[in-house]
Amino acid sequence: MTRTLPDFVTRLDKPVLAAFGCIILLLLLGSLYSSSFLSPEYLLQQLQVASFLGLIATGMMLVILLGQIDLSVPWVVTVGGMMSTAAAGWGPMGATLAIPFGILCGMGMGLVSGIGIAYLRVPSMIFTLGVNAVAQGLMVLWTGGFAPQDHATDAMHFIATGRTIFSIPNALFIWGIVAAAAIFVLTRTTFGRAIYAIGNRERAAYLSGLPTQRVMMLAFMTSGGLSAAAGVLLAGYSTKAYQGMGDPYLLPAVAAVVLGGTNILGGRGSYIGTIAGVILITLLQSMLSVMKIDEAGRQLIYGGVIIAMLLVYGRQKKAG
Amino acid sequence: MGDFRYWLAEHKGTLLAFAVFVIMFGVYTGNHSAGFSSMVVMTAANKGVLLALVAMAQTLVVLTAGIDLSVGMIFVLANCLASQMVVGDAGETTLGVICVLGAGVLCGALNGAIVIYGRLQPIVTTLATGAMFYGVALWLRPVPGGDVNSDLADALTDQVYGVPTALLVLLGIVLVIWVPLRRSEVGRAIYAIGSSEPAAYMSGVSIDKARFTAYAVSGLLSACGGLMLTFITYSGEASSSIGGSYTLNSIAAVVIGGVSLFGGAGSAVGAIFGAFVLRTIGDLLFVFDFDPLWQPLFQGVILLGAVTLGSLRLLRLKNRLDLFG
Amino acid sequence: SIAQEVVSGPGAEPECFAPWAKDTKYFQFKKKEGPYRIALANGFIGNTWRIQMIKTAKAYAEQPDVKAKLKEFKVVSTGEDLAAQLAAVDNFIASGYDAIVVNAQNPAAFTPVIKRAKKAGVVLVAFDNTLDTDQAINVNVDQKGLGEYWANWLVKNIPEGGKVLEVRGVEGTSVDRDRHDGIQEVLKASGKPFETVEVVGKWDDGTAQKVTADAIAVHKKFVGVTVQGGSTGTVRALMDAGHPFVPVGGETENGFRKLCAEHAGDGLKCASGGTGPAQVAVAIKTAIAALEGEIIPQSVRLPLATAEDPNFKDGENFYKAESDNFFVGNSFPTCGINFSAQEIMGQSEADQ
Amino acid sequence: MSDGIPLFEMRNIAKSYGGVRALEDAQLKVETGRIHAVLGENGAGKSTLIKIMSGVVQPDHGIMRLDGTEMHFTSPKAANAAGIVCIFQELSLIPDLSVADNIAISGAPKRFGLIDRKAQRQFAEEALARAGAEDIHPLALVKDLPLSRRQMVEIAKALGRKPRILILDEATSALTAGDVAKVFTVLKRLRSEGLALLYISHRMQEIDELADDCSVFRNGRHVASYLQGSKSRNEVIEMMIGREYSHVFPPKPTDEKAGAPALEVAGLNWDQRLNNISFQARPGEIVGLGGLDGQGQRELLLALFGVLRGVTGDIAVGGVVQRFSNPRAAKDGATAMALIPEDRKTEGLMLPMSVKDNLTLPALDSLAKAGIIDRQREAQEVDRMVKLLAIKAANLDIPVGALSGGNQQKVVIAKWLMIGPKIVLLNDPTRGIDVGTKQEIYQLLRKLADEGATILFYSTDYDELIGCCDRVLVMYDGSIVRELKGAEITEHALVSSAFSIDETAQQGGRQVG
Ligand SMILES: Nc1ncnc2c1ncn2[C@@H]1O[C@H](COP(=O)(O)OP(=O)(O)OP(=O)(O)O)[C@@H](O)[C@H]1O
Ligand SMILES: Nc1ncnc2c1ncn2[C@@H]1O[C@H](COP(=O)(O)OP(=O)(O)OP(=O)(O)O)[C@@H](O)[C@H]1O
Ligand SMILES: [Mg+2]
Ligand SMILES: [Mg+2]
């Protein structure tokens, strides 16, 4: 038995290693274009930006492990950003509560998704689509109808862009904490075990006495909360919240989780892989944008690279 | 009588979507200041047929228990291509139409090939190929514009004897593509693999052929949609937001139309009515006087309500295991 | 008795309805008796510009002299789907509206709709994303002129040339292309050694901020910046990266002007230009004038609202206490449209 | 039978899955007009053998000859074309298609290139009639049929392909006695029509009744082939399990159980499918549920376990009236109820998850503090259970799906034993389990009962009810029609009360146990 190996080594399965390999390959290729791609500033800058996607991908991974998907990311991110800045407008009390309030609102949206999916049994693919539309409607109404304050607090700005220790971005620490928590939850807690069990077969999990519906609802709540937290960070980063701030994050989040080796049908995947996937996607996007390739070429390369990487390591076992 | 019961069970989803559509459209035209006039119907038809075609495309892939996140992008790509090729005299126009449809088949075939031979999950595959198709569309048409054979375009977006031609086109596509497919062995295989792939394999069903056909025909139908969009707009535009919104709406349409997202059950005809239902939700904004800032919320809530309608079955649920399919 | 006739100028109120070019033709519609039914067929609504635009439109329609001329003013936002917007226009035509104002999702796609509007005698006025046609009235912003404005200002402020960062908008749109062309032509014509690095900011603060940060990480130093939109984000990225302040030509976001004013002392020089969402009011005004039988240029040129360092004044051309997100260029004095952006966005529904 | 070329022959067949050697040097000869039974305990390689025959998997080496010519089947389709058709256990029906579509799934009658529905329906009706299942409507969806009907469709589908060799891999394990009898009539008729039949089953009495030739496999090797009837049942079983075999069932305690009932059910009703059910069960008792399949036994277990909605009547556990709204509530606290479900693959296990993770699932809460799993205790408990049930697994981190059927079933039972259940509900737990494992399970049940658990045991196998249970409640149409106690539990009594007919009208049945 392989009991003697530490857990995290055995968890580094083939897709995860391959994903990290791709990161290194990408950096090497990039360095042919400009040596700046290997500079610490550039890499730290990428990690800082990756932190936003990292938070969202964490929530996305939870629901993908359940065999579901969360398409409400774009506007829940916006809800997080706009609600936190709105709270900041309610005097000194509001400023302190801004961050938790934003996250709480995101959890609220996640709760709605969770109820619809876990209890009303609407497929997540479509219910979260509806929640996204409702969130957009609410934010349009809120901005247009109530003229909220949308300036980020200093604390938000500091967390999102500040660099306290060794010029490591604070945002990266936040992602680090979330990542550590995610790894712990997924590997060491009953909640994590239940997520994998439900993702594999919800019926059997239910008959094993797991609170499957509650777990599912909580996972969506967490996903909503994490999306909103990313929205809070983004608002801090831009010092303000604005409509559509979450738009560029949905598909990259799904892609990151899948590139990290998580099975899109649920039940299998490790968080280390998701970390690799997030970094991979962030680097890819950034390099394509810096290399002055036009949008058409960027899209072609972006899609092509994802397919190519998955063909290398993401293939399913042959059925039958 | 006994047979009728089984027929009804098979078409329940489609009939329900049809009924919902009739009621909603009734409410819409009933409150429209132009009433149930041919102009109103034609406008609704032109708009509805586009989504209906993309929803049909989505249906085929969903029936195989997959999901196609690239249908909207194929739609956009076809639109851009058509705005360059479907011009000139009759011969050139025909050639252009064939090229556009061929490109759609090619895109679908690429998806199918990657899913089958690359053994990647459909959702991820099409997420990535969708970006690529969009890239090609943008390369073809960096800025909106182009042209189309306006005689053909006018003919296909007008009406004959009060019936919108777009609806006739849709009917033709259903009769020429969907009905034969549904009744063929390949079509049945598409249902079979969606329902249970291991069982289909054990039963000697040609799985790869069926799946490939599903994706290729899906591409064809998306391209038909893109072609119709060109006829309606006389132009092409590489818009990722249009692609994205058609993709997502096609999924919603498929669900409202009674097609199971788990595969194996449902009909493209249901998806068509699902698409019409979705379109009518948007139309309701005309006849009810909503504050403009409330409109997006209204649409979101109605969408959420429509997709939650199916949950009413839970009220009759006796065995909780049925929750888990 | 043709509803829409091409006539020769000059038109009514030339200081407001300024013709785009010397050879711009003029329209005269058959005079209709008021009050009128006017519709606004908007597409996408999910950004601040559009929200501000819609609120401005409503506020304009509520002004007593305008209100007196309107029987009904209806706004519908159809989202990103082009076909839905076309259907909306068709529906308005079918319902017998007198004039329809559109912000087109796709400028090239309205040919059939224009035909139908013309046939039905409906006045069609486009603004912002105007129509590629000479058959309907366009209320235009001189996008290329805006690019030229930024570039001229950069040339003036960076006499020795160098590496300039150009943050572009949404690729594939004519607005992006025109602004870009304007910038490039002027920089080239300056004869100075300008080199541009292009990144795509999508007119979005977050994206602009990210790509600016990337560009700085890779290219280290720029002598100047132009940004089509998301200007606040771009300046934030400069500050976050510790990049020295350089001349920045940007849009009219309140946040951008706030930063420009705040850091003027630290060396941040800005030129802020654009036309705000209030152009919808000009479009409505044009539609009413057309219905009243006035002679109107087919293509109306809107003036640019610009402000440059050191002329940023709180409460005048920006609002320190207000949100970053609205667009400040919100008045067209020559048209008698004098909303301040703050007036529109600073009031909640309840206050109105 | 040894002279001349056999219809079908396999020689030196070997097959490994990764490190697991499923078959090694296996042989088989099949003759026309005979029924050939393949015997062996779980994991002996029977299914692998017939999967190779029918083209589902390819052998590592070895040869197959049909009519003396060497064959290689690359897919089930190829094997079908050669006349070899296999009935897998509920694996090859497509749930969302109609019965007719399923029967004609490959090679449907066509007109103008499209499926001719009328002809297809006729074809399906004929095939159903050949299988003796005329009562199944050809337009019904397979997913709406009960398991036993589905199996009949499966048989009809196989017959529709006009096979030369028909293979049935545990094809009857989901069938009720009545259906089995029907199927047997059909099989015998096919034999007389000159088909070769290969028959796999864990039910010895079926082999006795049906087989002409038998082959026994153990650990992937061919052990012996013999003519049916030439060996005693014990000899056969010993060949299968490779050790001495006696006393299938542990002795029953003779004393009447006293004390307060652990489980009391009074006037239980549900959706017209459970009608006024009342009974009591005491600690230490094994109470059987008998009757024909589908008479509400499963529903009763599910109702007790909190799965069904709209249940009326009283359920009292330990004297306290309870109403569980989900399995979690039934499992928790003082009740400690466990349900071993019917279908281990979809209801009992997460096949891709590790053996360890599967084992600890129900007991996870008690192995965790504040939601954090105590990994040391987890490992201890898992070890304890693996030892207790002698679960054979290469290691505990492999997916449970890689275990053989019997070991999978042991995992299902073990995971529930971990919570220390006071009431154990068993839903046909020995389906598709070999005799050796069955015996272990019977002993385990008795041990649990002796330790004070109350056991409710539904089985489709009368021998089991007779051998294991202290009492049997026979159900018919959602009601308990009869209670049999002690020596009253005979096959005769079970059958007659199952059909809810007058006992005297039945001929005497064989008494076993
Ligand atoms: N696909 C597979 N992957 C790994 N191991 C397998 C696979 N299929 C079979 N095995 C292993 O091969 C051995 C033989 O399995 P097989 O299914 O042939 O046994 P069996 O005789 O049919 O058992 P049962 O009576 O339980 O059906 C078992 O140890 C099983 O675990
Ligand atoms: N792809 C696979 N990977 C790993 N193990 C497998 C695989 N396919 C089958 N097995 C295992 O091999 C064995 C034989 O599979 P099979 O489908 O014959 O089940 P079985 O033991 O006959 O079960 P049952 O008795 O319920 O029919 C089982 O233990 C099964 O779990
Ligand atoms: Mg087997
Ligand atoms: Mg078995």
Side-chain angles (χ1 to χ4, degrees):
Chain A
M1 298 207 186
T2 53
R3 293 251 135 187
T4 46
L5 282 175
D7 253 16
F8 71 93
V9 177
T10 48
R11 267 204 306 279
L12 284 181
D13 44 5
K14 215 174 78 198
V16 177
L17 289 174
F20 279 111
C22 286
I23 293 176
I24 292 169
L25 189 71
L26 205 58
L27 283 173
L28 290 180
L29 285 178
S31 69
L32 296 181
Y33 173 83
S34 158
S35 59
S36 309
F37 283 129
L38 292 181
S39 70
E41 305 98 273
Y42 178 78
L43 293 178
L44 280 177
Q45 149 74 18
Q46 290 317 304
L47 285 174
Q48 171 174 10
V49 174
S51 307
F52 311 138
L53 183 59
L55 293 196
I56 297 170
T58 306
M60 186 64 85
M61 181 186 177
L62 290 186
V63 300
I64 288 183
L65 278 178
L66 285 171
Q68 311 285 344
I69 196 157
D70 186 354
L71 299 183
S72 69
V73 161
W75 284 93
V76 175
V77 167
T78 311
V79 165
M82 298 191 80
M83 289 296 109
S84 60
T85 55
W90 302 328
M93 186 63 183
T96 45
L97 288 181
I99 296 178
F101 181 72
I103 295 176
L104 216 64
C105 289
M107 289 171 78
M109 302 306 298
L111 179 70
V112 175
S113 297
I115 290 173
I117 292 152
Y119 292 96
L120 302 178
R121 309 305 297 182
V122 183
S124 56
M125 186 74 120
I126 173 97
F127 197 83
T128 52
L129 205 62
V131 169
N132 190 52
V134 169
Q136 170 174 9
L138 286 171
M139 287 305 101
V140 165
L141 188 60
W142 175 252
T143 309
F146 298 89
Q149 205 282 115
D150 54 14
H151 200 76
T153 62
D154 291 343
M156 284 161 66
H157 187 57
F158 173 74
I159 293 175
T161 59
R163 299 189 172 198
T164 334
I165 311 164
F166 303 130
S167 73
I168 292 172
N170 293 342
L172 190 55
F173 280 111
I174 300 286
W175 184 25
I177 293 169
V178 168
I183 292 177
F184 184 80
V185 165
L186 286 177
T187 58
R188 299 288 298 276
T189 66
T190 53
F191 181 69
R193 196 69 67 78
I195 284 184
Y196 283 101
I198 296 168
N200 273 303
R201 203 168 276 281
E202 191 179 1
R203 195 183 177 92
Y206 174 76
L207 282 174
S208 299
L210 296 184
T212 57
Q213 293 180 309
R214 201 168 71 212
V215 167
M216 198 175 272
M217 189 185 74
L218 284 175
F220 274 94
M221 252 175 89
T222 313
S223 174
L226 284 168
S227 291
V232 172
L233 278 187
L234 274 171
Y237 182 64
S238 320
T239 68
K240 60 177 190 155
Y242 54 97
Q243 303 268 332
M245 59 196 283
D247 283 351
Y249 289 92
L250 172 62
L251 296 186
V254 177
V257 171
V258 174
L259 281 179
T262 298
N263 184 347
I264 191 86
L265 304 179
R268 266 165 295 157
S270 71
Y271 192 82
I272 309 270
T274 300
I275 295 177
V278 166
I279 296 176
L280 204 50
I281 289 283
T282 310
L283 275 180
L284 187 60
Q285 282 182 333
S286 152
M287 287 183 169
L288 289 176
S289 110
V290 173
M291 284 181 179
K292 259 178 106 168
I293 297 163
D294 67 354
E295 178 78 3
R298 274 209 305 273
Q299 294 286 341
L300 271 168
I301 295 174
Y302 183 64
V305 167
I306 291 180
I307 295 268
M309 286 182 194
L310 288 175
L311 283 180
V312 171
Y313 65 79
R315 293 157 66 109
Q316 308 163 273
K317 284 203 207 100
K318 200 169 168 69
Chain B
M1 193 61 219
D3 286 8
F4 178 70
R5 189 163 60 93
Y6 293 111
W7 181 87
L8 198 65
E10 188 189 336
H11 296 96
K12 206 172 61 190
T14 304
L15 292 173
L16 203 70
F18 177 70
V20 172
F21 165 66
V22 167
I23 293 169
M24 285 180 68
F25 201 72
V27 170
Y28 167 57
T29 49
N31 289 283
H32 200 293
S33 53
F36 188 80
S37 65
S38 61
M39 173 82 171
V40 171
V41 174
M42 193 181 82
T43 302
N46 282 346
K47 178 172 68 157
V49 163
L50 300 177
L51 184 59
L53 286 169
V54 180
M56 282 177 79
Q58 185 69 264
T59 306
L60 278 164
V61 176
V62 166
L63 282 177
T64 68
I67 196 119
D68 190 342
L69 296 185
S70 72
V71 281
M73 292 309 180
I74 300 178
F75 172 81
V76 165
L77 174 56
N79 170 229
C80 291
L81 198 59
S83 70
Q84 278 173 342
M85 302 195 65
V86 186
V87 286
D89 61 32
E92 288 165 330
T93 301
T94 314
L95 192 69
V97 168
I98 291 171
C99 283
V100 170
L101 297 183
V105 173
L106 220 61
C107 291
L110 177 69
N111 283 335
I114 296 175
V115 168
I116 295 165
Y117 302 107
R119 300 207 298 274
L120 298 187
Q121 282 297 338
I123 182 171
V124 208
T125 305
T126 52
L127 185 105
T129 55
M132 297 170 73
F133 298 151
Y134 174 58
V136 177
L138 206 55
W139 174 71
L140 285 172
R141 194 150 281 307
V143 291
D147 202 1
V148 75
N149 183 325
S150 58
D151 295 334
L152 182 60
D154 289 348
L156 292 183
T157 53
D158 206 348
Q159 47 189 338
V160 280
Y161 303 117
V163 181
T165 29
L167 277 190
L168 296 177
V169 170
L170 183 65
L171 184 69
I173 289 173
V174 169
L175 290 179
V176 172
I177 297 179
W178 172 250
V179 172
L181 186 68
R182 178 77 181 86
R183 304 209 160 196
S184 69
E185 199 149 338
V186 177
R188 188 168 68 187
I190 290 173
Y191 280 80
I193 55 182
S195 183
S196 166
E197 192 175 335
Y201 174 73
M202 293 290 192
S203 306
V205 169
S206 314
I207 291 182
D208 289 353
K209 184 169 128 198
R211 183 165 278 145
F212 190 80
T213 309
Y215 280 91
V217 176
S218 165
L220 174 68
L221 289 168
S222 295
C224 288
L227 205 52
M228 283 305 286
L229 177 64
T230 323
F231 292 144
I232 289 172
T233 64
Y234 282 33
S235 69
E237 182 192 15
S239 154
S240 65
S241 59
I242 289 193
S245 84
Y246 271 85
T247 301
L248 295 181
N249 279 321
S250 74
I251 299 171
V254 157
V255 171
I256 295 173
V259 181
S260 162
L261 277 186
F262 304 106
S267 150
V269 180
I272 291 175
F273 288 114
F276 286 174
V277 167
L278 271 183
R279 287 314 206 173
T280 314
I281 293 176
D283 283 338
L284 289 177
L285 295 178
F286 283 95
V287 295
F288 297 115
D289 215 3
F290 280 106
D291 183 291
L293 290 174
W294 281 84
Q295 288 172 7
L297 184 60
F298 168 79
Q299 288 191 290
V301 170
I302 297 273
L303 173 63
L304 208 53
V307 301
T308 313
L309 223 57
S311 301
L312 286 177
R313 82 192 145 85
L314 296 185
L315 293 177
R316 284 184 287 120
L317 187 83
K318 291 285 168 99
N319 184 340
R320 292 194 180 90
L321 285 182
D322 293 342
L323 285 176
F324 309 111
Chain C
S1 66
I2 307 161
Q4 175 182 349
E5 252 179 312
V6 177
V7 297
S8 55
E13 291 190 59
E15 60 302 337
C16 177
F17 305 128
W20 181 260
K22 278 203 201 75
D23 57 353
T24 298
K25 60 181 178 178
Y26 287 84
F27 282 151
Q28 185 168 28
F29 291 80
K30 218 172 120 189
K31 186 173 163 49
K32 273 192 187 175
E33 287 310 315
Y36 308 112
R37 295 173 70 205
I38 294 183
L40 168 58
N42 179 45
F44 178 60
I45 192 176
N47 67 31
T48 319
W49 197 97
R50 294 288 175 122
I51 294 173
Q52 189 177 342
M53 181 271 284
I54 282 179
K55 295 191 74 167
T56 310
K58 275 174 60 188
Y60 183 71
E62 285 298 314
Q63 292 202 333
D65 52 329
V66 181
K67 194 174 179 157
K69 295 177 182 171
L70 294 180
K71 192 158 101 198
E72 187 189 345
F73 180 66
K74 179 148 187 145
V75 184
V76 165
S77 298
T78 47
E80 290 166 331
D81 185 5
L82 172 62
Q85 191 181 29
L86 294 177
V89 176
D90 276 333
N91 267 319
F92 284 130
I93 294 172
S95 305
Y97 281 80
D98 300 306
I100 301 166
V101 178
V102 297
N103 185 345
Q105 280 300 114
N106 168 356
F110 278 64
T111 320
V113 168
I114 294 166
K115 263 196 241 169
R116 286 192 278 271
K118 209 167 156 183
K119 207 168 122 194
V122 177
V123 175
L124 194 60
V125 180
F127 69 101
D128 188 29
N129 277 321
T130 48
L131 305 177
D132 295 349
T133 181
D134 60 359
Q135 300 296 308
I137 302 170
N138 278 326
V139 175
N140 279 302
V141 178
D142 183 3
Q143 304 292 2
K144 190 167 174 191
L146 187 57
E148 289 165 354
Y149 161 75
W150 287 322
N152 278 320
W153 182 82
L154 281 182
V155 170
K156 201 172 79 195
N157 281 277
I158 314 167
E160 61 285 355
K163 202 190 265 184
V164 169
L165 176 65
E166 184 190 351
V167 182
R168 297 189 58 168
V170 173
E171 271 177 291
T173 60
S174 59
V175 175
D176 172 66
R177 183 199 53 208
D178 292 348
R179 291 182 177 185
H180 170 75
D181 289 350
I183 293 168
Q184 293 296 334
E185 279 170 27
V186 170
L187 288 184
K188 245 186 224 105
S190 73
K192 291 184 180 146
F194 278 109
E195 181 199 339
T196 48
V197 171
E198 289 172 34
V199 289
V200 177
K202 300 191 173 169
W203 299 325
D204 167 274
D205 275 307
T207 312
Q209 186 172 2
K210 208 159 74 178
V211 294
T212 305
D214 281 357
I216 294 171
V218 173
H219 294 274
K220 310 289 188 252
K221 191 161 168 4
F222 296 100
V223 298
V225 179
T226 65
V227 43
Q228 290 195 10
S231 329
T232 323
T234 295
V235 175
R236 284 278 168 209
L238 288 178
M239 292 162 56
D240 289 343
H243 190 283
F245 282 125
V246 292
V248 179
E251 250 282 358
T252 62
E253 298 101 332
N254 193 40
F256 176 54
R257 289 189 176 181
K258 273 155 78 176
L259 287 174
C260 292
E262 191 182 334
H263 296 283
D266 314 330
L268 178 60
K269 279 187 160 186
C270 304
S272 161
T275 52
Q279 46 179 295
V280 68
V282 182
I284 297 170
K285 185 180 166 82
T286 312
I288 294 174
L291 289 170
E292 286 173 332
E294 307 279 7
I295 294 173
I296 302 291
Q298 181 267 325
S299 179
V300 177
R301 179 196 290 267
L302 287 168
L304 291 176
T306 60
E308 295 160 25
D309 189 68
N311 298 324
F312 296 111
K313 299 227 166 49
D314 185 19
E316 196 173 293
N317 52 21
F318 79 98
Y319 305 90
K320 208 169 167 183
E322 299 296 331
S323 156
D324 277 3
N325 289 334
F326 62 81
F327 292 79
V328 195
N330 215 43
S331 62
F332 294 95
T334 51
C335 295
I337 292 166
N338 286 309
F339 296 109
S340 81
Q342 178 213 22
E343 203 180 322
I344 295 295
M345 294 305 281
Q347 282 175 6
S348 71
E349 199 92 305
D351 303 334
Q352 284 177 359
Chain D
M1 62 178 266
S2 56
D3 51 80
I5 308 168
L7 172 63
F8 183 81
E9 185 182 20
M10 295 170 98
R11 274 174 183 278
N12 304 327
I13 299 283
K15 174 76 188 171
S16 297
Y17 292 104
V20 185
R21 187 157 297 170
L23 278 180
E24 207 178 345
D25 195 20
Q27 353 263 351
L28 192 70
K29 272 186 200 161
V30 180
E31 308 280 352
T32 52
R34 295 182 77 79
I35 298 181
H36 193 132
V38 178
L39 305 170
E41 61 180 342
N42 291 121
K46 308 179 297 291
S47 299
T48 308
L49 189 79
I50 59 106
K51 279 181 190 163
I52 290 171
M53 265 184 87
S54 52
V56 176
V57 298
Q58 276 70 53
D60 297 338
H61 56 79
I63 48 173
M64 293 190 274
R65 291 210 188 92
L66 184 66
D67 290 327
T69 26
E70 199 166 326
M71 308 291 285
H72 296 279
F73 301 131
T74 51
S75 69
K77 221 173 158 175
N80 284 353
I84 301 179
V85 174
C86 184
I87 298 174
F88 302 97
Q89 192 181 331
E90 68 187 282
L91 209 62
S92 68
L93 287 184
I94 290 140
D96 289 296
L97 292 188
S98 71
V99 169
D101 274 335
N102 266 289
I103 290 175
I105 186 84
S106 58
K110 295 205 194 107
R111 265 178 77 196
F112 312 121
L114 302 182
I115 296 170
D116 181 346
R117 293 195 183 180
K118 236 189 203 154
Q120 168 175 296
R121 185 168 167 177
Q122 205 170 353
F123 175 74
E125 275 167 355
E126 280 162 19
L128 285 169
R130 271 189 90 192
E134 299 89 339
D135 58 317
I136 298 175
H137 196 287
L139 294 187
L141 295 189
V142 163
K143 67 172 176 191
D144 296 332
L145 299 177
L147 213 54
S148 59
R149 304 282 85 196
R150 276 185 230 180
Q151 203 67 43
M152 301 301 285
V153 175
E154 184 88 68
I155 292 170
K157 174 178 158 189
L159 294 180
R161 293 182 181 185
K162 313 273 181 316
R164 299 177 66 196
I165 303 177
L166 180 64
I167 307 168
L168 297 99
D169 186 5
E170 298 183 49
T172 52
S173 67
L175 298 191
T176 57
D179 282 327
V180 170
K182 268 194 209 163
V183 170
F184 280 13
T185 322
V186 176
L187 295 184
K188 285 172 187 162
R189 196 185 70 227
L190 294 175
R191 169 172 60 188
S192 66
E193 288 170 7
L195 250 70
L197 292 119
L198 208 60
Y199 191 81
I200 298 177
S201 170
H202 289 295
R203 293 181 180 167
M204 296 303 286
Q205 71 271 32
E206 293 182 5
I207 309 274
D208 291 343
E209 179 175 348
L210 213 53
D212 304 307
D213 307 312
C214 298
S215 291
V216 177
F217 283 76
R218 185 171 72 234
N219 289 338
R221 286 176 179 277
H222 177 247
V223 178
S225 290
Y226 59 93
L227 274 177
Q228 164 65 16
S230 62
K231 296 212 189 311
S232 80
R233 196 187 270 195
N234 263 13
E235 277 177 296
V236 175
I237 292 177
E238 276 162 22
M239 273 197 288
M240 280 164 56
I241 63 177
R243 61 188 151 90
E244 214 167 298
Y245 178 80
S246 59
H247 301 302
V248 194
F249 298 106
K252 293 186 199 175
T254 45
D255 55 322
E256 185 95 345
K257 289 283 173 300
L263 179 66
E264 283 174 281
V265 175
L268 197 74
N269 287 293
W270 176 70
D271 193 31
Q272 281 140 38
R273 281 192 274 167
L274 292 178
N275 303 316
N276 196 24
I277 296 206
S278 305
F279 68 92
Q280 298 185 337
R282 291 174 211 290
E285 256 191 325
I286 300 182
V287 179
L289 290 178
L292 298 172
D293 194 26
Q295 299 304 311
Q297 299 97 332
R298 287 191 174 85
E299 287 76 6
L300 175 57
L301 297 182
L302 292 178
L304 294 176
F305 204 51
V307 175
L308 302 184
R309 230 157 66 168
V311 175
T312 58
D314 284 338
I315 301 170
V317 177
V320 188
V321 174
Q322 304 270 17
R323 181 54 47 87
F324 305 122
S325 57
N326 54 47
R328 186 175 182 71
K331 177 196 86 170
D332 274 349
T335 345
M337 196 185 277
L339 172 76
I340 316 293
E342 170 180 21
D343 182 354
R344 62 175 169 269
K345 287 182 179 162
T346 64
E347 300 188 335
L349 296 171
M350 285 47 140
L351 292 179
M353 281 176 86
S354 72
V355 175
K356 186 187 89 189
D357 288 356
N358 268 287
L359 274 173
T360 49
L361 223 40
L364 217 47
D365 284 335
S366 60
L367 295 175
K369 270 203 202 81
I372 299 165
I373 299 167
D374 181 342
R375 292 206 283 186
Q376 212 172 346
R377 273 193 58 207
E378 186 189 17
Q380 283 167 2
E381 283 291 294
V382 168
D383 271 354
R384 188 168 72 82
M385 282 302 147
V386 169
K387 289 215 182 80
L388 181 70
L389 277 98
I391 295 171
K392 275 177 251 152
N395 76 60
L396 299 180
D397 292 319
I398 59 167
V400 76
L403 301 186
S404 81
N407 277 303
Q408 286 183 12
Q409 189 66 14
K410 284 186 184 175
V411 173
V412 179
I413 297 175
K415 74 178 206 180
W416 281 109
L417 294 191
M418 210 178 268
I419 69 164
K422 297 216 182 82
I423 298 173
V424 183
L425 314 175
L426 295 138
N427 188 354
D428 211 1
T430 58
R431 227 176 65 204
I433 302 288
D434 69 59
V435 273
T437 310
K438 271 187 192 166
Q439 191 184 14
E440 290 171 50
I441 291 176
Y442 301 145
Q443 268 153 4
L444 192 72
L445 292 184
R446 182 51 69 188
K447 190 166 146 230
L448 280 177
D450 289 344
E451 285 166 5
T454 307
I455 295 175
L456 211 55
F457 182 19
Y458 170 54
S459 173
T460 45
D461 185 343
Y462 292 147
D463 288 354
E464 266 175 17
L465 292 177
I466 297 161
C468 277
C469 300
D470 302 314
R471 276 192 294 148
V472 175
L473 309 172
V474 181
M475 293 186 66
Y476 183 82
D477 199 19
S479 309
I480 297 179
V481 290
R482 187 124 189 243
E483 182 179 335
L484 301 169
K485 259 192 209 145
E488 290 167 28
I489 313 175
T490 62
E491 181 160 356
H492 182 189
L494 282 172
V495 170
S496 59
S497 47
F499 284 97
S500 197
I501 40 177
D502 201 345
E503 204 168 328
T504 49
Q506 278 280 317
Q507 302 145 350
R510 186 161 45 99
Q511 192 164 333
V512 187

